[in-house]
């Protein structure tokens, strides 16, 4: 019986009084809960949530869950008919995590190993649905890590040691991976869900956390350049604009021209904004004090997979020794390396490059609509994430903190 | 936990939305009702033919699902069991599918019309629905069109019954095929279709003038549209098909609706989309272009590597120059996949091959030194060494032996064996089915196919299992079909063919026999008018309605009317009466008749031109009956007195150069000359009076 959670102490007392090792009967549990008045309220609240899950007939529960997963998958497949995704990746991250929480709550599993297997399986499907959307895979890895931690804590092993893995331990940890997570813990589900909730709260606040640091980086009368539209950068600049006056150059980012939207949005906040064509990036760079960009993914080597044209921008910035700052929340950190070519790129319909209405010429040429650029780490000055600023060379460290090495391959 | 409590409510909320917004339904017609894909479709229905290694129907269903369709009715006829089986295995029939697919089969569907009549009979649709064929490949976002359609329906009470979706693509675009070229006249503002015509390489086009009188001041006549064969229909569409049992195709429907627009008051609108992709695989040329468009990612996000059909083991990778590889592909040393290539799983390719713009299915074996360009190779095909294939379709289980060259637009249907060392000329079609077989089995081909497979095999043997080695090579198996399906434009929809026959007949009919029928009718009407003493107003009304019924011009009406009146006595008395008898009969009769029907004539004889026409036809009648020329004067006189004819008109007619001897003779007639003289005098005297 692992469908209940709440004041665990109450149950412990009950176990002691009854001289049993554990209580399996849910009726009995609720009787003991009612004796603890402080637990009463929380228990009722939790029960309301579990009622829908637990009391739902088994088959119903399963179909409900798989329906949700299917709809999420098809949404993922469809998202991004234009450039990047229709929704922000922050939202994708939140939705993925919420779905994983639901899987944890609703799926049938007996121990951490089973749960991890289920989540891995679904995670594989989700990442396969839209390989370019790395956020999904990242969130799956985060949840797997949470399960590992919770399991370790339940076993009573030192979670602290786990977290501060040394480089040496990273090297040696390969084969000696616990005891396959087969041990059963009654309260594991509750703890995992609690931890996932914490992760969700963290996700909610990422953009705010990043934009809070804006004033440290943007000073008065500076000229900032950015490219395309990134929601994080948008919030970052808007936050700085509350206190400081500065000028923003937006490279339009053809052929999708998200830069136009960005410029409109910024100028609405009374930020002095200029839109420039991508070809003018180098020419304008000499006047620019700082380049601030967003990214789609931060790769394991500290490089970026960002919107088309970013590489040009980064090279121009390097040439003029202009600092290049990347605003990237932690959930964009992916253990992927740029040489994994198959899923690295994304090509959309060539419509924007060469309109379908062009007629005869279409049968004579090949048009491609690439979406991403790879930016090598040596062109990047600083990453600003929700936990502070980091150099590209430090990314590997963050990576090992966020994900368990065994989860890099789902 | 607070966030969690809110979550379970989500589906319930969705339910509520559904109540407000009725769920979107679609009718998918998984049959083409034509033979453009013959002989391939003898073994497999068109909807199941693979396009970039995925059945066409899956593309259509994916399109429907992504536009938010929640319930789809798939109608099949030809090889229905195969389609059913395919759908049962596909992801569309999983319980988690957001789009509920119902398969409805019947052997009796012979056209789109039959399907929609069945939709109406079974009352399947509750609100607006999408109508598509099972071979439509599209990623168009139709939500805007849907909204416009709904708005129009709300605004003026269900006048608009259908919104057709078109894709802008100028003439000469490779995704257009000349067969399906259309010309549309539309109202620029309301997007209403005023005229719809299939161009079919016509050099001259006619637009009825009345379409430009509809009150709008902005018209567009467009030839740059590609019909995506996606239409948003209201439930009336199905009803209209039931009401008009002669509608077979969508073409009939659209044209019928536009012609009868004034009467029925139904309108058709259109939606032109610039982005998005939509095309129907209507023939093999379109198959070629749509396949290559899919490989070139025009239909993104429906791309080969997306594995949208969610089949096991179908996952493939996409790399540079649009090269797609499924799992287990092996490529020999020195082989090159140049560009736009898709290779199915477990396919083995030998050494030194050059492959470009090609789709290869699963489990194929391809030898060394093979050149493939624009080849569409389906599953389990064996191609030996030194083969060259250009723009051809090779179906399942075909064996191409050593040294074969396939030129452009060849089709090798299922299980054919070709070779070795033979060059097939352009446009060769080979099939295991004998071409003559088709006629014999024409009747039962729509019945379940499975039970006469054995029978068919026997027959094939009887007919002589001797394959012509000149056609298929010394070890080859297969019969040559005469027409190339790729260029086969004549063999059109069967339904259409019969329809065009009908229209042709009706044209002939209208050319020769309608006026005489009309004359009889007018005679009958006048006779009845005389017998029953019907007022002239009613007679005019009756004649007018006859005019519309037989589609007769005003001029002809008048001529016939004159003829009928003048011949009235003959009809009453028999043709052999003398002049005296005629005039004596006609005179009292005609005085009464003409007097009586004066308003009728006045109704039709208004302008000077009408008078001339009237006189000309009068002349014509009398020319036929020389003996009665004397009576002409009297008729003219009475017409003049009744103010039907004016003196100017008569003079003009008289002075007009007569063309034949006879009419000159007529003009030299004594009585007529006197009458003219009298007229001239009367004119002079009237002038003198002034």
């Amino acid at each position: 019986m692992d469908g209940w959670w709440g004041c665990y102490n109450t149950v412990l007392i009950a176990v002691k009084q009854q001289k049993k090792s554990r209580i399996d009967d849910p009726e009995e549990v609720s009787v003991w809960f009612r004796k603890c008045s402080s637990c009463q309220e929380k228990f009722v609240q939790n029960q309301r949530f579990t009622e829908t899950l637990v009391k739902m007939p088994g088959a119903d529960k399963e179909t409900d869950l798989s329906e949700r997963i299917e709809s999420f998958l098809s949404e993922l497949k469809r998202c991004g008919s234009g450039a990047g995704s229709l929704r922000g990746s922050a939202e994708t991250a939140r939705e993925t995590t919420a779905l994983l929480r639901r899987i944890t709550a609703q799926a049938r599993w007996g121990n951490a190993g089973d749960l991890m297997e289920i989540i891995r399986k679904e995670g594989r499907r989700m990442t396969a649905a839209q390989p370019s959307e790395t956020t999904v895979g990242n969130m799956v890895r985060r949840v797997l890590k949470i399960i590992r931690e919770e399991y370790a804590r339940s076993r009573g092993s030192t979670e602290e040691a786990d977290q501060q893995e040394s480089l040496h331990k990273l090297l040696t940890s390969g084969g000696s991976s616990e005891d396959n997570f087969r041990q059963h813990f009654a309260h594991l589900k509750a703890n995992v869900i609690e931890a996932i909730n914490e992760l969700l709260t963290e996700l909610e606040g990422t953009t705010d956390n990043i934009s809070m640091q804006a004033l440290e980086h943007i000073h008065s009368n500076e000229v900032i350049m950015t490219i395309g539209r990134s929601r994080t950068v948008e919030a970052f600049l808007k936050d700085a604009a509350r206190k400081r006056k500065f000028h923003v150059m937006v490279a339009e980012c053809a052929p999708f021209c998200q830069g136009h939207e960005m410029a409109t949005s910024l100028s609405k906040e009374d930020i002095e904004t200029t839109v420039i064509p991508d070809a003018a990036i180098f020419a304008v760079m000499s006047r620019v004090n700082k380049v601030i960009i967003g990214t789609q993914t931060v790769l394991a080597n500290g490089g970026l997979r960002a919107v088309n044209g970013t590489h040009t921008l980064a090279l121009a910035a390097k040439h003029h020794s202009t600092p290049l700052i990347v605003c990237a929340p932690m959930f964009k950190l992916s253990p992927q390396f740029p040489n994994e070519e198959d899923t690295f790129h994304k090509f959309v319909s060539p419509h924007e490059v060469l309109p379908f209405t062009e007629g005869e010429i279409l049968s004579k040429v090949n048009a491609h609509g690439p979406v991403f650029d790879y930016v090598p780490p040596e062109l990047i000055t600083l990453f600003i994430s929700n936990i502070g600023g980091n150099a590209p060379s430090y990314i590997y460290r963050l990576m090992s903190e966020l994900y368990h090495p065994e989860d890099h391959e789902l | 936990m607070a966030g969690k409590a809110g979550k379970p409510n989500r589906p319930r909320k969705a339910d509520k939305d559904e109540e407000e917004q009725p769920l979107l339904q679609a009718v998918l017609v998984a049959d083409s009702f034509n033979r453009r894909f013959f002989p391939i479709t003898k073994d497999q229905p068109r909807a199941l033919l693979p396009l970039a290694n995925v059945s066409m129907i899956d593309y259509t269903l994916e399109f429907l699902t992504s536009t938010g369709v929640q319930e789809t009715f798939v109608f099949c006829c030809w090889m229905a069991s195969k389609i059913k089986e395919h759908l049962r295995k596909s992801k569309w029939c999983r319980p988690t599918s957001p789009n509920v697919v119902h398969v409805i089969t019947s052997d009796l569907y012979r056209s789109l019309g039959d399907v929609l009549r069945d939709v109406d009979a079974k009352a399947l649709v509750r609100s607006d629905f999408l109508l598509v064929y099972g071979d439509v490949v599209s990623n168009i976002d139709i939500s805007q069109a849907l909204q416009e359609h709904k708005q129009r329906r709300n605004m003026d009470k269900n006048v608009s019954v259908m919104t057709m979706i078109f894709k802008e693509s100028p003439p000469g675009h490779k995704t257009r095929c000349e067969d399906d070229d259309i010309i549309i006249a539309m109202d620029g503002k309301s997007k209403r279709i005023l005229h719809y015509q299939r161009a079919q390489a016509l050099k001259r086009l006619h637009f009825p003038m009345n379409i430009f009188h509809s009150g709008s001041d902005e018209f567009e006549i467009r030839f740059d549209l590609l019909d995506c064969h996606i239409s948003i229909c209201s439930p009336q569409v199905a009803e209209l098909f039931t009401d008009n049992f002669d509608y077979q195709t969508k073409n009939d429907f659209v044209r019928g609706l536009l012609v009868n627009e004034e009467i029925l008051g139904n309108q058709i609108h259109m939606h032109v989309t610039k982005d998005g992709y939509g095309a129907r695989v209507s023939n093999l040329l379109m198959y070629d272009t749509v396949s290559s468009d899919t490989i070139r990612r025009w239909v993104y996000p429906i791309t080969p590597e997306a594995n949208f059909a969610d089949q096991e083991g179908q996952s493939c990778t996409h790399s540079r120059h649009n090269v797609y590889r499924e799992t287990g592909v092996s490529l020999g040393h020195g082989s090159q996949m140049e560009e736009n290539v898709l290779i199915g799983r477990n396919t083995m390719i030998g050494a030194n091959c050059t492959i470009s713009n090609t789709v290869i299915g699963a489990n194929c074996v391809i030898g060394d030194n093979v050149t493939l360009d624009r080849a569409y190779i389906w599953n389990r095909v064996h191609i030996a060494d030194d083969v060259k294939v250009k723009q051809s379709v090779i179906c399942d289980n075909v064996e191409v032996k050593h040294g074969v060259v396939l030129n452009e637009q060849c089709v090798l249907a299922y299980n054919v064996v070709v070779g070795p060392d033979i060059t097939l000329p352009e446009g060769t079609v080979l099939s295991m089915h004998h071409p003559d077989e088709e006629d014999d089995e024409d009747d039962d081909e729509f019945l379940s196919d499975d039970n006469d497979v054995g029978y068919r095999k026997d027959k094939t043997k009887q007919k002589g299992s001797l394959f012509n080695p000149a056609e298929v090579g010394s070890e080859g198996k297969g019969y040559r079909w005469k027409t190339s399906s790729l260029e086969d434009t004549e063999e059109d929809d069967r339904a259409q063919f019969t329809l065009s026959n009908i229209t042709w007949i009706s044209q002939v009919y209208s050319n020769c026999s309608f006026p005489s029928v009309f004359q009889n009718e007018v005679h009958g009407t006048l006779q009845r008018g005389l017998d029953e003493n019907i007022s002239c107003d009613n007679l005019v009304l009756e004649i007018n309605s006859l005019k519309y019924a037989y589609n007769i011009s005003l001029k002809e009406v008048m001529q016939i009317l004159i003829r009928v009146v003048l011949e009235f006595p003959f009809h009453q008395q028999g043709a052999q009466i003398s002049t005296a008898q005629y005039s004596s009969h006609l005179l009292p009769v005609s005085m009464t008749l003409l007097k009586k029907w004066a308003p009728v004539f006045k109704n039709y004889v208004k302008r000077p031109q009408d008078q001339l026409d009237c006189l000309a036809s009068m002349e014509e009648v009398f020319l036929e009956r020389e003996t009665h020329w004397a009576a002409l004067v009297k008729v003219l006189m009475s017409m003049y007195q009744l103010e039907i004819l004016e003196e100017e008109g008569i003079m003009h007619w008289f002075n007009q150069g007569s063309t034949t001897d006879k009419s000159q003779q007529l003009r030299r007639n004594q009585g007529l000359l006197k009458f003219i003289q009298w007229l001239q005098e009367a004119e002079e005297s009237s002038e003198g009076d002034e």
Side-chain angles (χ1 to χ4, degrees):
Chain A
M1 168 67 210
D2 43 46
W4 47 267
W5 52 100
C7 178
Y8 192 58
N9 287 335
T10 328
V11 184
L12 282 182
I13 295 162
V15 170
K16 266 182 203 158
Q17 286 189 359
Q18 298 236 320
K19 296 195 172 92
K20 279 187 189 170
S21 64
R22 50 180 286 157
I23 301 174
D24 287 315
D25 185 16
E27 280 303 310
E28 210 173 339
V29 173
S30 57
V31 166
W32 283 106
F33 268 138
R34 261 169 229 138
K35 287 187 179 168
C36 168
S37 61
S38 68
C39 283
Q40 190 71 37
E41 202 180 323
K42 204 175 174 188
F43 174 72
V44 170
Q45 208 180 48
N46 286 336
Q47 208 170 33
R48 231 172 257 156
F49 174 66
T50 43
E51 245 171 42
T52 45
L53 308 180
V54 176
K55 285 195 179 167
M56 209 184 269
D60 227 30
K61 196 160 82 177
E62 298 273 293
T63 50
D64 177 60
L65 181 62
S66 51
E67 242 170 60
R68 268 160 207 279
I69 295 170
E70 288 304 323
S71 74
F72 182 71
L73 284 179
S74 51
E75 223 173 284
L76 269 180
K77 274 185 188 175
R78 265 166 227 138
C79 91
S81 51
S85 52
L86 292 175
R87 305 164 300 159
S89 49
E91 205 177 319
T92 313
R94 273 202 298 277
E95 273 182 37
T96 315
T97 318
L99 186 67
L100 290 172
R101 181 177 68 179
R102 186 163 280 275
I103 292 172
T104 315
Q106 275 174 307
R108 283 167 197 273
W109 52 275
N111 52 47
D114 290 349
L115 178 62
M116 280 165 73
E117 206 39 62
I118 292 169
I119 287 188
R120 242 190 229 121
K121 195 180 118 237
E122 296 302 335
R124 266 199 298 271
R125 287 179 63 204
M126 283 188 241
T127 43
Q130 185 62 269
S132 71
E133 195 64 73
T134 43
T135 324
V136 178
N138 296 344
M139 290 338 284
V140 173
R141 291 185 188 100
R142 286 287 285 274
V143 170
L144 286 174
K145 168 99 170 165
I146 285 172
I147 298 168
R148 280 172 201 277
E149 278 173 5
E150 291 303 327
Y151 179 80
R153 195 160 57 179
S154 306
R155 278 175 79 230
S157 68
T158 51
E159 48 192 309
E160 288 302 303
D162 234 11
Q163 237 165 38
Q164 292 169 2
E165 273 168 327
S166 65
L167 197 58
H168 174 254
K169 204 176 171 197
L170 254 176
L171 275 169
T172 52
S173 67
S176 64
S177 140
E178 315 289 326
D179 52 355
N180 291 329
F181 302 95
R182 289 286 159 236
Q183 216 168 323
H184 177 90
F185 292 105
H187 56 285
L188 183 64
K189 189 183 224 169
N191 291 347
V192 169
I193 287 176
E194 200 63 57
I196 297 178
N197 281 339
E198 272 165 32
L199 176 61
L200 269 173
T201 342
E202 183 201 316
L203 290 176
E204 299 277 346
T206 43
T207 317
D208 289 339
N209 286 336
I210 291 174
S211 53
M212 253 159 48
Q213 305 165 50
L215 289 177
E216 295 166 30
H217 297 278
I218 297 177
H219 308 293
S220 285
N221 297 321
E222 271 188 336
V223 179
I224 312 282
M225 186 185 276
T226 186
I227 187 168
R229 182 179 189 201
S230 152
R231 284 168 181 78
T232 321
V233 173
E234 200 180 313
F236 191 80
L237 294 174
K238 281 179 182 171
D239 202 80
R242 287 191 290 116
K243 287 248 174 78
R244 309 244 157 91
K245 278 272 168 222
F246 54 93
H247 188 142
V248 180
M249 302 265 188
V250 185
E252 64 175 0
C253 203
F256 307 107
C257 295
Q258 309 99 313
H260 296 177
E261 289 168 44
M262 177 78 159
T264 328
S265 160
L266 289 178
S267 55
K268 268 183 195 148
E269 299 281 313
D270 285 332
I271 301 173
E272 207 179 322
T273 313
T274 313
V275 180
I276 58 165
D278 298 335
I281 287 176
F282 190 83
V284 176
M285 191 55 82
S286 56
R287 284 179 54 208
V288 174
N289 297 99
K290 254 180 209 107
V291 177
I292 300 178
I293 56 169
T295 181
Q296 208 263 344
T297 308
V298 179
L299 298 163
N301 66 344
L304 301 183
R305 177 165 65 174
V307 73
N308 234 349
T310 314
H311 195 183
T312 329
L313 179 77
L315 283 170
K318 190 79 180 172
H319 183 87
H320 288 280
S321 300
T322 315
L324 181 91
I325 297 172
V326 181
C327 291
M330 290 302 275
F331 62 77
K332 291 198 173 177
L333 212 57
S334 161
Q336 206 180 1
F337 279 90
N339 49 5
E340 296 162 21
E341 203 204 345
D342 285 345
T343 53
F344 183 72
H345 225 306
K346 178 159 112 175
F347 284 88
V348 296
S349 162
H351 179 83
E352 303 283 346
V353 184
L354 188 67
F356 190 73
T357 46
E358 278 301 323
E360 278 177 82
I361 189 79
L362 285 179
S363 50
K364 292 170 188 144
V365 298
N366 274 324
H368 296 283
V371 174
F372 298 124
D373 247 358
Y374 166 64
V375 182
E378 54 271 22
L379 301 181
I380 298 157
T381 319
L382 187 71
F383 282 101
I384 299 175
S385 73
N386 43 332
I387 54 167
N390 291 301
S393 54
Y394 194 69
I395 292 296
Y396 87 95
R397 192 79 193 88
L398 293 175
M399 201 76 69
S400 63
E401 260 172 44
L402 284 178
Y403 312 118
H404 194 272
E406 273 183 25
D407 297 332
H408 287 186
E409 282 287 317
L410 278 177
Chain B
M1 296 280 152
K4 238 181 237 176
K7 277 263 162 146
N9 290 331
R10 252 170 63 182
R12 261 172 245 151
K13 243 184 223 167
D15 285 342
K16 262 180 206 163
D17 288 343
E18 270 167 28
E19 279 168 21
E20 288 159 13
Q21 239 181 8
L23 77 169
L24 188 58
Q25 294 173 307
V27 170
L28 191 155
V29 184
D31 202 320
S32 52
F33 306 113
N34 65 33
R35 296 172 160 213
R36 285 174 173 182
F37 272 74
F38 252 49
I40 302 171
T41 41
K42 247 179 152 18
D43 298 297
Q44 188 89 325
R46 193 198 285 189
L48 295 190
L49 300 184
L51 185 119
N53 292 349
V54 178
S55 300
M56 290 196 220
I57 197 168
D58 287 330
Y59 285 92
T60 316
L61 284 168
E62 173 67 22
F63 158 69
L64 291 175
T65 311
S66 63
T67 48
V69 172
Q70 287 154 305
E71 193 173 21
T72 308
F73 299 99
V74 179
F75 286 83
C76 4
C77 171
W78 174 235
M79 298 207 172
S81 54
K82 277 197 176 178
I83 298 177
K84 215 169 180 174
E85 181 65 18
H86 172 84
L87 288 177
R88 202 178 53 76
K89 279 188 200 153
S90 74
K91 77 165 181 175
W92 312 110
C93 283
R94 288 181 203 158
T96 52
S97 167
N99 183 1
V100 184
V101 175
H102 306 278
V103 183
I104 296 163
T105 60
S106 165
D107 299 330
L108 300 173
Y109 302 138
R110 293 270 163 158
S111 68
L112 177 70
D114 292 339
V115 168
L116 283 171
R117 278 184 275 278
D118 202 42
V119 168
D120 188 41
K122 290 183 173 146
L124 294 174
V125 293
R126 273 153 285 176
S127 66
D128 295 348
F129 64 97
L130 285 174
L131 177 64
V132 289
Y133 280 99
D135 43 16
V136 168
V137 175
S138 172
N139 66 351
I140 294 173
D141 183 12
I142 60 145
S143 57
Q144 200 199 339
L146 204 64
Q147 215 171 359
E148 282 172 16
H149 179 80
K150 279 197 178 125
Q151 241 165 23
R152 272 196 290 268
R153 306 258 307 153
N154 285 341
M155 245 171 23
D156 36 35
K157 289 287 166 207
N158 305 339
V159 170
S160 171
V161 291
M162 186 154 103
T163 302
M164 296 170 81
I165 295 183
F166 293 95
K167 166 106 186 96
E168 213 170 81
S169 53
H173 197 285
K174 69 187 165 78
T175 314
R176 284 171 68 127
C177 77
E178 281 180 13
D179 259 6
D180 298 330
D181 277 350
I182 42 165
I183 291 182
I184 285 177
M186 66 183 256
D187 185 330
K189 274 181 194 146
S190 64
K191 303 266 179 262
R192 185 154 74 88
I193 298 181
L194 301 170
H195 187 71
Y196 176 93
Q197 191 170 1
R198 291 176 71 164
Q200 287 176 321
L202 290 178
K203 292 235 169 75
R204 187 180 293 214
L205 295 156
H206 290 280
F207 295 95
M209 272 312 285
N210 62 334
I211 61 170
F212 301 111
H213 296 312
S214 62
S216 173
D217 50 0
E218 204 178 294
F219 297 100
E220 286 176 34
I221 292 178
R222 303 188 69 157
F223 187 56
D224 66 336
L225 297 176
L226 170 75
D227 191 350
C228 301
H229 292 274
I230 301 162
S231 23
I232 304 166
C233 303
S234 39
Q236 276 125 299
V237 172
E239 289 163 23
L240 282 167
F241 266 97
T242 313
D243 294 344
N244 300 279
F245 52 85
D246 55 332
Y247 288 170
Q248 298 289 319
T249 60
K250 203 160 91 179
N251 210 21
D252 294 349
F253 174 74
V254 172
R255 303 207 51 181
L257 226 58
L258 291 178
V259 168
N260 300 327
E261 193 185 306
E262 287 164 31
I263 303 167
L264 299 170
N266 291 319
Q267 296 177 345
I268 298 178
H269 288 80
M270 61 194 285
H271 177 82
V272 180
T273 169
K274 275 188 185 157
D275 27 55
Y277 181 90
R280 185 180 168 206
V281 184
S282 51
N283 54 24
L284 278 168
L285 277 179
M286 284 299 277
Y287 178 83
D288 179 23
T289 40
V290 174
S291 295
S292 85
D293 284 343
T294 314
I295 298 286
R296 289 168 198 225
R297 309 181 73 80
W298 282 101
V299 206
Y300 184 88
I302 303 177
T303 49
E305 91 274 16
N307 189 19
F308 60 88
D310 212 12
Q311 277 157 359
E312 286 288 321
Q314 267 262 354
S315 68
C316 72
T317 59
H318 171 228
S319 37
R320 222 175 268 213
H321 304 301
N322 290 339
V323 172
Y324 304 84
R325 265 171 299 186
E326 286 181 18
T327 49
V329 171
S330 81
L331 193 65
H333 183 77
S335 285
Q336 266 193 323
M337 297 189 280
E338 287 180 342
E339 53 180 17
N340 305 323
V341 177
L342 168 59
I343 299 182
R345 62 180 177 279
N346 303 328
T347 286
M348 309 224 274
I349 294 170
N352 299 317
C353 297
T354 313
I355 303 171
S356 56
N357 304 312
T358 291
V359 176
I360 303 177
N363 302 312
C364 293
V365 178
I366 290 170
D368 300 341
N369 303 315
V370 174
T371 309
L372 304 174
D373 183 38
R374 294 178 79 186
Y376 298 96
I377 297 169
W378 297 357
N379 303 323
R380 298 179 298 281
V381 172
H382 285 252
I383 292 180
D385 301 349
D386 304 312
V387 172
K388 280 194 174 60
V389 181
K390 286 180 210 155
Q391 201 194 356
S392 295
V393 175
I394 300 177
C395 302
D396 288 358
N397 301 320
V398 168
E399 203 177 332
V400 180
K401 299 209 180 231
H402 176 270
V404 173
V405 177
L406 296 184
N407 279 318
E408 277 90 352
Q409 310 190 338
C410 286
V411 177
L412 304 184
Y414 294 90
N415 307 321
V416 164
V417 181
V418 180
D421 300 309
I422 186 174
T423 303
L424 294 184
E426 204 170 297
T428 311
V429 180
L430 295 178
S431 168
M432 288 308 276
H433 299 282
H434 199 278
D436 302 333
E437 206 178 310
E438 174 198 355
D439 302 326
D440 310 339
E441 288 169 37
D442 211 3
D443 294 330
D444 51 23
E445 74 186 301
F446 276 92
L447 302 175
S448 168
D449 200 47
D450 307 37
N451 45 21
D452 56 26
V453 165
Y455 155 71
R456 187 178 286 174
K457 270 182 188 160
D458 293 345
K459 212 160 132 188
T460 320
K461 274 177 197 158
Q462 279 170 17
K463 271 197 179 155
S465 46
L466 296 166
F467 303 107
N468 187 351
E471 284 172 358
V472 293
S474 52
E475 291 165 38
K477 285 179 198 166
Y479 299 101
R480 183 165 173 184
W481 283 52
K482 281 177 198 80
T483 50
S484 153
S485 308
L486 276 173
E487 291 179 317
D488 182 17
T489 53
E490 281 151 53
E491 201 168 22
D492 215 70
D493 304 15
R494 241 179 292 172
Q496 229 167 0
F497 182 65
T498 51
L499 193 83
S500 63
N501 262 345
I502 292 169
T503 48
W504 180 72
I505 289 166
S506 73
Q507 269 172 2
V508 174
Y509 196 45
S510 74
N511 282 344
C512 55
S513 51
F514 274 9
S516 68
V517 174
F518 180 67
Q519 192 174 341
N520 288 340
E521 290 273 353
V522 171
H523 179 83
T525 311
L526 292 182
Q527 177 82 54
R528 204 154 36 84
L530 195 69
D531 296 346
E532 297 171 19
N533 224 353
I534 298 170
S535 81
C536 286
D537 285 347
N538 288 346
L539 284 181
V540 171
L541 200 68
E542 278 197 40
I543 292 169
N544 268 345
S545 60
L546 284 173
K547 166 183 176 281
Y548 287 118
Y550 290 96
N551 194 17
I552 300 245
S553 74
L554 202 61
K555 193 176 157 186
E556 278 177 303
V557 169
M558 202 174 55
Q559 284 171 350
I560 287 162
L561 196 63
I562 295 285
R563 183 175 280 269
V564 166
V565 171
L566 293 180
E567 286 178 357
F568 212 76
F570 296 114
H571 281 287
Q572 281 191 324
Q573 305 292 329
Q576 303 305 323
I577 48 170
S578 66
T579 319
Q581 272 177 315
Y582 178 73
S583 37
S584 64
H585 254 290
L586 187 67
L587 272 184
V589 176
S590 78
M591 286 320 277
T592 47
L593 280 185
L594 286 175
K595 231 175 232 168
K596 233 182 172 164
W597 294 334
V600 179
F601 280 104
K602 275 184 188 161
N603 190 58
Y604 292 107
V605 186
K606 279 175 183 157
R607 297 164 300 158
Q609 183 60 40
D610 296 337
Q611 293 196 7
L612 278 184
D613 289 340
C614 171
L615 284 163
S617 54
M618 225 187 258
E619 181 185 334
E620 209 177 294
V621 174
F622 278 97
L623 281 177
E624 282 170 23
R625 297 163 204 278
E626 281 179 54
T627 46
H628 301 93
W629 283 1
L632 172 64
V633 186
K634 285 173 180 148
V635 175
L636 280 178
M637 187 66 189
S638 49
M639 297 273 269
Y640 176 70
Q641 280 167 349
L642 287 167
E643 291 177 353
I644 298 168
L645 298 174
E646 283 164 25
E647 55 191 46
E648 279 165 43
I650 297 172
M651 294 310 288
H652 193 255
W653 166 74
F654 186 75
N655 294 331
Q656 212 173 28
S658 45
T659 44
T660 58
D661 294 348
K662 246 186 175 181
S663 64
Q664 270 169 0
Q665 269 181 1
L666 179 79
R667 263 156 239 231
R668 263 181 254 124
N669 183 289
Q670 281 295 316
L672 190 59
L673 285 175
K674 258 186 209 162
F675 175 64
I676 298 296
Q677 214 177 346
W678 177 79
L679 269 182
Q680 275 169 341
E681 278 166 17
E683 198 178 1
E684 276 160 22
S685 68
S686 69
E687 272 170 16
D689 285 351
E690 285 166 21

